[in-house]
Amino acid sequence: MKAPQKILIVKLSSLGDVVHTMPAVQDLRAAFPRARIDWVVERGFAPLVARCEGVARVIPCDIRAWSKRPLAAATRAAWRSFKADLQQDAYDAVIDLQGLSKSALVAWLARTTPDGRRCAMANQTEGSGYEAPTRWVADTAIALEPHVHAVERGRLLCAKALGYTPADALRFGLVGQSKALSAPLPKHLGHADNPFVPRKPLVALVHGTSRVDKEWPLEHWIALGRRLNDAGFGVALPHAGARELATSQAIAAGLDEAWVLPAVGLDVLTDTLAHCAGVVGVDSGVSHIAVALDLSHVQIYNFDTAWRTGPAALDARGKPARQCSVYAEPCPDVESVWSAWEALATPVLSR
């Protein structure tokens, strides 16, 4: 296949999967520096994809919402609008990195150039979903090793589909922008609106996750937060939904310096995390954002699945990475997580 000029990535969801696709985009940029790369993604994740270097156009969709009311007039109108947006350009390569029926449908609807090809996975890999229409739609179906990290799965698929070798260095290309929030100063210090008053560096505690069995006990978060406070860090507590808000408030109530973030969109959250000194979090999409931002990060696992979604232990030079994972059943203890955090040697620098 000749060097593609226009490439379409189809990766619709979920948050962690979207983040794990970003290194494939950076490989494509390195292999084909003149190519334009567009990306189809669920609308809720579009602000994140817009922060990925090398993505020329983000094409948002609402397939999750549309599937709940497929016959509604509003759904039909929105679908027509999405289809027109998707088919504005013809692509030399359409790469389905999702492997599901909904992503296969999007890939099938996308226009290709006369020599263009639709590429997708030929098989399921461990821990991922996969549906047969993926193969039916693809002009080229790529067989992958089943035991593969989520990041490497996307990188290998793109490389095999378009005939190049992935870059040695792992790079996400996620860059924070200008929507970051600043933590208020503790009330006892006053001067809350003075930008010249030094602020303690923040460590975000990402306790929210889509599965209850991935959570870490509340008392562990409070104990960890107290150690961070004693070490000179403030604590930031993001949340999504009423249940996570209640947990953030409960953690903050047990700490000297904690900031419960307001309810914010993914764009503001990403930019705010980019200004943090580090993150400690469970296996969740927000934790994966921390990895992509190259923050000091400890990721907590209650299951032995860090090999599939967790941060790499070594960087591209073979040195210890700025992130690590901690695993134990039923869950890691506070001492293990704190030891992992201390091993990262994150400096305490006021802003």
Side-chain angles (χ1 to χ4, degrees):
M1 183 179 183
K2 64 181 181 180
Q5 298 301 306
K6 293 182 181 180
I7 303 170
L8 180 66
I9 297 295
V10 181
K11 187 72 166 187
L12 309 177
S13 60
S14 59
L15 179 53
D17 293 338
V18 169
V19 174
H20 288 149
T21 299
M22 292 180 177
V25 173
Q26 307 315 311
D27 290 343
L28 288 167
R29 293 178 68 204
F32 309 109
R34 296 184 179 180
R36 196 187 81 180
I37 303 171
D38 295 346
W39 188 330
V40 186
V41 70
E42 283 279 348
R43 191 175 303 277
F45 307 126
L48 185 69
V49 174
R51 285 158 169 70
C52 180
E53 292 180 331
V55 177
R57 186 164 72 106
V58 182
I59 305 172
C61 66
D62 292 292
I63 292 178
R64 284 179 172 176
W66 296 337
S67 64
K68 296 176 182 177
R69 299 185 64 200
L71 302 180
T75 298
R76 296 199 302 271
W79 177 259
R80 288 193 297 269
S81 178
F82 163 68
K83 186 177 176 181
D85 195 19
L86 175 66
Q87 296 179 339
Q88 279 185 24
D89 294 289
Y91 295 94
D92 302 304
V94 176
I95 307 177
D96 176 6
L97 292 172
Q98 191 92 52
L100 300 177
S101 298
K102 59 184 180 180
S103 58
L105 174 61
V106 172
W108 178 71
L109 286 172
R111 290 198 301 124
T112 58
T113 58
D115 294 326
R117 291 188 303 176
R118 295 177 177 86
C119 308
M121 293 177 285
N123 59 286
Q124 184 175 14
T125 59
E126 290 182 36
S128 66
Y130 186 82
E131 295 171 350
T134 302
R135 286 192 305 273
W136 303 342
V137 168
D139 299 306
T140 303
I142 308 295
L144 297 176
E145 166 64 37
H147 190 83
V148 62
H149 192 282
V151 168
E152 293 306 310
R153 179 177 60 207
R155 299 181 77 194
L156 290 171
L157 175 58
C158 290
K160 290 185 176 183
L162 300 184
Y164 63 87
T165 300
D168 291 333
L170 175 64
R171 186 170 179 275
F172 286 81
L174 182 61
V175 179
Q177 296 182 8
S178 59
K179 293 187 176 183
L181 301 178
S182 292
L185 284 172
K187 293 181 180 179
H188 67 275
L189 292 180
H191 311 292
D193 297 325
N194 187 344
F196 298 102
V197 174
R199 284 170 162 80
K200 285 188 176 182
L202 292 171
V203 176
L205 301 186
V206 178
H207 55 80
T209 177
S210 59
R211 286 172 43 183
V212 174
D213 57 359
K214 288 185 177 182
E215 293 178 352
W216 207 41
L218 174 63
E219 61 272 18
H220 286 16
W221 286 117
I222 295 173
L224 178 67
R226 288 173 177 168
R227 293 197 184 193
L228 288 167
N229 282 171
D230 291 343
F233 294 98
V235 167
L237 294 160
H239 54 86
R243 184 172 180 270
E244 290 184 16
L245 172 59
T247 301
S248 288
Q249 292 170 335
I251 296 170
L255 305 180
D256 292 330
E257 293 194 39
W259 172 37
V260 178
L261 272 67
V264 296
L266 197 54
D267 49 354
V268 176
L269 177 58
T270 299
D271 296 354
T272 302
L273 286 177
H275 286 78
C276 288
V279 173
V280 179
V282 294
D283 177 18
S284 70
V286 178
S287 284
H288 300 314
I289 290 176
V291 175
L293 289 170
D294 196 28
L295 299 172
S296 295
H297 178 45
V298 177
Q299 201 163 109
I300 299 168
Y301 281 84
N302 300 340
F303 303 95
D304 190 13
T305 54
W307 67 267
R308 192 173 72 229
T309 59
L314 301 175
D315 64 16
R317 297 167 295 177
K319 297 182 178 180
R322 286 162 55 84
Q323 301 94 21
C324 65
S325 59
V326 179
Y327 155 68
E329 292 185 14
C331 68
D333 58 25
V334 176
E335 194 61 44
S336 298
V337 174
W338 179 249
S339 296
W341 171 259
E342 283 200 309
L344 300 178
T346 303
V348 182
L349 299 174
S350 295
R351 290 193 291 116

